[in-house]
Amino acid sequence: MVGKMSELERAAERLRRARRVVAFTGAGVSAESGVPTFRGAGGLWEGRPVEEVATPQGFAADPVRVWRFYDERRCNLARCRPNPAHEVLARWQDRFPAYTLVTQNVDGLHEDAGARAVLHLHGSIWALRCTACGRERVERAAPLPELPPRCTGCGEMERPGVVWFGEYLPEEALRAASRAAAATEVLIVVGTSAVVYPAAGLVQTAAAAGAVVIEVNPEASALAHLADVELRGPAGVLLPQLDTLLTAVSA
Ligand code: APR
C-alpha cells in the first residue's frame, strides 16, 4: 500500500521540524466512516444530475427533491462515526504551535473527533438557513420532521446550510484558510480530488509559497504534481502510521 516506508518517514521528518501546519481535507477523509465521496465509483454524483440537487437553481425548481437528497445524506451521516484519520487530525491541534484544519466536508466528523476551530469552506449539512430572513440554526434531527423544514423565526422555508455550485464560499473561512496556506511550512492534503475551486486553490497557494505538500490519497489528485511527498493509501491507515512515527521520535 505505501511504497517504501521512506515516503512515510519523509513526511514524518518534515512534520517533525514544522511549527506551522495546515491540514486540508475532502470527502476521502470520511470514506472509512461510511460516508460516500462525490466522484469516482459509488460517489454521490455518480449517475445523479448535480445541477438538480446542488445548485440554487435546482433548489428553486424543486425544493422537496433537494431536501429529500439532503435528508437521506443526513440520515446516513447520523450513523457515521469519526475514523482514525479524523482522530489524528484532531490530536495534531495540540502537537503543532500553529495548526489550521480546513475542510470541504459538511459532515461535522472533524468536530465529532474533537477538532476545534475547523475552517468549513462548504458549510455544514447540520445547518439550516431561512430563505427569507436568513436565520441559521443547527438541527441534528435525522430524518427531519418536515420537508421542507420551516424557519423557527418567520416560518418561511429553510435551505441546507451548505455551499452549492455557483455560490460563494463563506468569506471569513476562505480568507483565513488562504492566509494559513500562504504562511504554512507543511500542507497535508487528505482525501480530495482537488478539482473544485476556490478550495483546491489552497494547494497552489501553499506550494507557491514554498510549503512542503504532502498528499494522502489512494489515487493521485488533480494537484498531485504539486506534492513533495505522496502517501498512496487510505487516510485512516496512513495518518495513524504517520502519527506513530511522529510520536515515537518526540517521546
Ligand atoms: N483516504 C484518503 N482518500 C480517499 C479515501 C481514503 N480512504 N477514499 C477515497 N479517497 C479520495 C479519492 O481518491 C478522491 O481523490 O478522496 C477523494 C474524494 O474526491 P471527491 O469525491 O471529488 O471529493 P472532494 O474532493 O472532497 O470534493 C470537493 O466537491 O462535490 C463538491 O462540495 C463538494 O466538498 C465537495 C467538493
Side-chain angles (χ1 to χ4, degrees), residues 125-240:
I125 202 167
W126 305 113
L128 279 56
R129 190 164 66 243
C130 179
T131 55
C133 72
R135 179 194 297 244
E136 191 155 300
R137 66 184 171 112
V138 172
E139 172 59 75
R140 303 283 308 210
L144 285 162
E146 181 193 8
L147 294 182
R150 297 274 157 195
C151 174
T152 52
C154 71
E156 285 300 321
M157 181 171 63
E158 292 172 310
R159 56 159 285 171
V162 299
V163 177
W164 283 326
F165 291 99
E167 294 188 316
Y168 290 106
L169 274 57
E171 225 178 305
E172 191 31 50
L174 182 58
R175 194 180 304 121
S178 305
R179 255 197 321 262
T184 196
E185 292 166 277
V186 176
L187 173 75
I188 184 157
V189 183
V190 185
T192 181
S193 57
V195 297
V196 173
Y197 287 78
L202 294 175
V203 182
Q204 293 157 327
T205 300
V212 169
V213 176
I214 301 170
E215 178 166 281
V216 183
N217 192 323
E219 293 167 19
S221 78
L223 294 177
H225 61 281
L226 296 177
D228 303 284
V229 184
E230 297 177 46
L231 302 182
R232 295 279 162 241
V237 173
L238 293 176
L239 288 183

Side-chain angles (χ1 to χ4, degrees), residues 26-28 31-32 37-39 45 104 122 165 191-193 196 217-218 234-235:
E32 292 151 88
T37 61
F38 294 93
R39 297 166 188 84
W45 298 149
Q104 299 168 89
H122 295 161
F165 291 99
T192 181
S193 57
V196 173
N217 192 323

